[in-house]
């Protein structure tokens, strides 16, 4: 199926549409109030029946929801009451339909910015929720809207002001839209020219400066550019069988074998990062028989870059194949079994037993011995995590510049929201386990011994670590020097994981 032409990104028309959307409260908050929590949540899953039932009244907001979210035709008089009809038709946002009705040419989905801004994400009709619902027989260059992966990446991205930002594989432009709030210049790239057009429409409709659009694959469009302070990417990382790469769905398939798209993006990131710059992306990676997945990721990392890799989920090969066959609408029809078998054949050939999904953050520190953390953390976290990412690397800087002697001279304070849990049989004099648990950020949990728990509990930034350990040694009757010698490793772990923070000065 071919895709129809996209609307014009004329700023005058998009400004008038934005004013009409705001006047009708065609916003994320307005939708929630109109539809109610249940129907609103169903719409986020691409289930439209509850929203159709909730928009039968004919108000301007209901008309806009039916047009741009539910892809229903509406009478011209209703459309004219809700938005500038002639301008919307001339620019291609609306198209003539049967009789005296009009329909939307694209999906326009209200989206809340991090500071409560009212934004709108433009994608192909019926594809407003990225990856949900199955694409079926749509064209290979179809552009999807915002899905869970998009919001995850937006949430983990560092939001400090920067001069230059790159959204690599922009799609509908949501990452470029976020970047435009704190970057003086935004470049958006995509192999799909239709995606670049949608990204431009998203930013225009949301009132953000236009990004510099570049067509091409991976870093090729910016090969000769000066370095970027921030690179973000939700790349086409889906691992597909040979002969299918990039053939159907450009938004998810990068045309390289296995996890080579993600490997290439990570390995070459340093060539395009300014000093101190961040590269943050979502990725898939293969779990190959006889190989530690951490070693696989470690082999991708470029020299001079600190790295933090978090594996959020692992799917076995059957789950993975089924997920992406459903995503493409390939779970129906007589060819399903053959397509499924092709996926499993490729996984068997490569020795792949599972596929990991997670976040990769690189920071161009220029360090001769970069700080590398590769971990698995499948538990809930508190978004947004951009500030947590910055703090992680700041703690890495601290740890690599402070030896054990300097560590014991440092004052620490317990991070906000850290709780202590004691686990043991009821009535026992001493707990079997003591666990420190974060209620913020990554929400980690770390088991500590009684000395570690006592040390963390006393850290309020007033006494150096060594003085606290001396007091604990006297209290528990342990040799002072022995305690000083064995404890720095445990302190380092608590600092690395964010339970303890070094006091400045």
């Amino acid at each position: 199926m071919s895709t129809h032409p996209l609307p014009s990104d004329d700023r005058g028309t998009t400004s008038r549409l934005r004013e009409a959307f705001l006047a009708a409260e065609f916003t994320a908050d307005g939708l929630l109030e109109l539809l109610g929590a249940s129907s609103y949540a169903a719409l986020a899953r691409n289930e439209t029946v509850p929203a159709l039932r909730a928009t039968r009244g004919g108000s301007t907001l209901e008309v806009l929801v039916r047009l741009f979210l539910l892809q229903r035709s509406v009478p011209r008089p209703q459309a004219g009451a809700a938005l500038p009809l002639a301008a919307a038709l001339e620019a291609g946002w609306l198209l003539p339909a049967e009789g005296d009705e009009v329909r939307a040419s694209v999906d326009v989905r209200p989206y809340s910015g991090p500071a409560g801004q009212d934004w709108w994400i433009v994608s192909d009709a019926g594809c407003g929720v990225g990856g949900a619902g199955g694409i079926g027989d749509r064209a290979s260059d179809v552009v999807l809207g915002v899905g869970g992966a998009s919001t995850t990446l937006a949430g983990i991205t560092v939001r400090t002001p920067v001069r230059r930002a790159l959204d690599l594989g922009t799609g509908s432009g949501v990452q470029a839209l976020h970047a435009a709030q704190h970057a003086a210049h935004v470049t958006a790239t995509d192999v799909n020219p239709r995606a670049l057009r949608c990204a431009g429409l998203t930013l225009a409709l949301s009132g953000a400066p236009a990004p510099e659009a570049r067509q091409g694959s991976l870093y090729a469009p910016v090969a000769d550019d000066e370095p970027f302070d921030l690179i973000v990417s939700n790349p086409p990382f889906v691992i597909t069988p040979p002969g299918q790469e990039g053939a159907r769905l450009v938004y998810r398939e990068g045309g390289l074998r296995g996890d080579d798209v993600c490997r290439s993006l990570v390995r070459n990131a340093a060539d395009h990062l300014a000093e101190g710059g961040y590269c943050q992306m979502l990725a898939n990676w293969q779990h190959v028989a006889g190989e530690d997945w951490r070693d696989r990721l470690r082999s991708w990392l470029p020299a001079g870059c600190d790295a933090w890799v978090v594996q959020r989920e692992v799917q076995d090969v059957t789950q993975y194949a089924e997920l992406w066959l459903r995503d493409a609408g390939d779970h129906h029809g007589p060819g399903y079994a053959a397509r499924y078998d092709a996926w499993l054949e490729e996984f068997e050939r490569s020795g792949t037993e599972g596929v990991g999904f997670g976040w990769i953050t690189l920071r161009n520190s220029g360090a001769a011995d970069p700080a590398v953390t590769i971990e698995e953390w499948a538990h809930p976290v508190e978004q947004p995590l951009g500030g947590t990412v910055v703090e992680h690397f700041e703690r890495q800087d601290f740890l690599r510049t402070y030896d054990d002697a300097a560590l014991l001279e440092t004052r620490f304070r317990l991070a906000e929201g850290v709780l202590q849990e004691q686990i043991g049989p009821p009535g026992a004099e001493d707990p079997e386990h003591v666990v420190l648990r974060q209620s913020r950020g990554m929400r980690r949990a770390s088991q500590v011994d009684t000395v570690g728990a006592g040390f963390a509990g006393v850290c309020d930034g007033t006494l150096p670590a060594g003085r606290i350990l001396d007091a604990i040694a006297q209290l528990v009757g342990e040799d002072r020097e022995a305690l000083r010698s064995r404890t720095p490793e445990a302190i380092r772990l608590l600092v690395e994981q964010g339970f303890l923070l070094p006091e400045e000065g």
Side-chain angles (χ1 to χ4, degrees):
M1 180 186 293
S2 62
T3 44
H4 54 71
L6 292 167
S8 162
D9 61 357
D10 174 71
R11 287 275 167 158
T13 302
T14 55
S15 178
R16 293 179 65 189
L17 286 175
R18 183 168 63 254
E19 291 172 2
F21 290 166
L22 289 171
E25 297 186 16
F26 184 53
T27 63
D29 289 342
L31 280 182
L32 180 59
E33 184 173 348
L34 171 68
L35 301 179
S38 177
S39 297
Y40 186 81
L43 190 62
R45 300 189 300 270
N46 248 1
E47 295 291 347
T48 60
V49 173
L52 281 169
R53 293 180 57 83
T55 56
R56 294 174 291 186
S59 70
T60 55
L61 176 55
E62 290 169 324
V63 168
L64 292 175
V65 171
R66 284 188 164 243
L67 273 171
F68 291 109
L69 295 184
L70 306 181
Q71 304 301 312
R72 293 299 192 273
S73 299
V74 303
R76 283 175 180 257
Q78 286 189 350
L83 44 75
L85 180 60
L89 283 166
E90 182 178 357
W93 291 91
L94 297 182
L95 301 172
E98 293 185 5
D100 192 32
E101 295 191 333
V102 294
R103 60 184 178 87
S105 63
V106 290
D107 187 295
V108 178
R109 193 156 299 243
Y111 178 84
S112 288
Q117 303 100 319
D118 290 315
W119 292 340
W120 295 269
I121 310 300
V122 179
S123 62
D124 274 309
C127 298
V129 179
I135 298 302
D137 62 352
R138 297 182 187 275
S140 63
D141 64 348
V142 67
V143 179
L144 269 62
V146 177
S150 300
T151 54
T152 293
L153 179 58
I156 68 172
T157 300
V158 172
R159 296 299 175 195
T160 53
V162 296
R163 190 170 68 88
R164 289 172 53 77
L166 169 64
D167 177 12
L168 193 154
T170 187
S172 59
V174 63
Q175 309 304 331
L177 179 56
H178 277 279
Q181 312 308 305
H182 63 100
H185 181 274
V186 177
T187 300
T189 71
D190 207 290
V191 71
N192 182 4
R194 188 173 183 85
L196 293 174
R197 288 287 314 283
C198 280
L201 292 169
T202 289
L203 272 73
L205 193 58
S206 300
E212 181 178 357
R214 303 274 190 89
Q215 184 182 350
S217 178
L218 304 178
Y219 293 109
V222 295
D224 299 323
D225 282 27
E226 61 179 296
F228 295 91
D229 306 292
L230 174 67
I231 299 173
V232 292
S233 183
N234 179 12
F237 53 62
V238 178
I239 300 169
T240 50
Q244 296 186 30
E245 303 99 330
R248 293 197 60 210
L249 299 172
V250 176
Y251 76 87
R252 73 178 204 182
E253 297 159 7
L256 299 181
R257 197 157 195 170
D259 51 18
D260 278 354
V261 166
C262 297
R263 179 187 58 81
S264 180
L265 286 174
V266 172
R267 180 168 291 178
N268 297 306
D271 296 336
H272 304 278
L273 274 180
E275 182 180 351
Y278 286 90
C279 174
Q280 299 185 266
M281 67 182 69
L282 305 182
N284 268 180
W285 44 81
Q286 293 163 259
H287 282 233
V288 178
E291 174 186 85
D292 189 319
W293 68 271
R294 294 171 180 83
D295 293 337
R296 186 178 190 85
L297 269 294
R298 194 171 283 107
S299 73
W300 294 4
L301 302 178
C305 282
D306 299 327
W308 186 16
V309 179
V310 182
Q311 179 168 272
R312 295 289 288 163
E313 180 184 5
V314 181
Q315 291 186 318
D316 68 44
V317 292
T318 59
Q319 292 174 310
Y320 189 82
E322 291 163 13
L323 168 67
W324 294 110
L325 285 166
R326 285 195 304 271
D327 173 80
D330 285 342
H331 54 308
H332 299 299
Y336 172 70
R339 287 189 288 269
Y340 195 161
D341 186 68
W343 285 70
L344 298 186
E345 179 68 23
E346 170 61 10
F347 285 137
E348 183 177 342
R349 181 205 63 77
S350 62
T352 302
E353 298 178 330
V355 179
F357 169 81
W359 321 323
I360 299 176
T361 298
L362 306 174
R363 183 185 61 159
N364 186 10
S365 65
D369 185 19
V372 174
T373 302
I374 303 177
E375 62 177 327
E376 185 166 17
W377 188 251
H379 305 288
V381 299
E382 180 190 42
Q383 288 274 36
L385 277 172
T388 299
V389 171
V390 172
E391 292 165 359
H392 169 86
F393 287 102
E394 289 175 344
R395 295 194 303 271
Q396 295 295 333
D397 287 341
F398 167 82
L399 289 170
R400 71 173 152 216
T401 53
Y402 278 61
D403 61 17
D404 286 355
L407 197 73
L408 294 178
E409 293 299 319
T410 303
R411 293 175 291 115
F412 295 95
R413 58 183 170 85
L414 195 64
E416 180 184 354
V418 174
L419 305 174
Q420 178 177 303
E421 298 177 358
Q422 298 188 165
I423 303 171
E429 184 174 344
D430 296 311
E432 289 185 1
H433 303 290
V434 179
V435 176
L436 300 181
R437 189 178 300 278
Q438 298 168 348
S439 60
R440 309 294 305 274
M442 290 293 288
R443 294 177 173 164
R444 298 184 186 277
S446 182
Q447 185 173 324
V448 295
D449 59 16
T450 53
V451 170
F455 177 83
V458 176
C459 283
D460 60 4
T462 59
L463 292 175
R467 290 272 303 277
I468 295 175
L469 290 178
D470 292 345
I472 292 175
Q474 185 176 10
L475 184 65
V476 300
E478 188 169 341
D479 180 76
R480 170 178 172 273
E481 292 304 322
L483 189 60
R484 275 178 169 255
S485 176
R486 71 174 175 85
T487 306
E489 182 179 354
I491 295 176
R492 286 184 181 279
L493 180 61
L494 291 176
V495 172
E496 181 179 358
Q497 295 185 340
F499 290 95
L500 292 178
L501 307 178
E503 239 351 86
E504 296 182 1

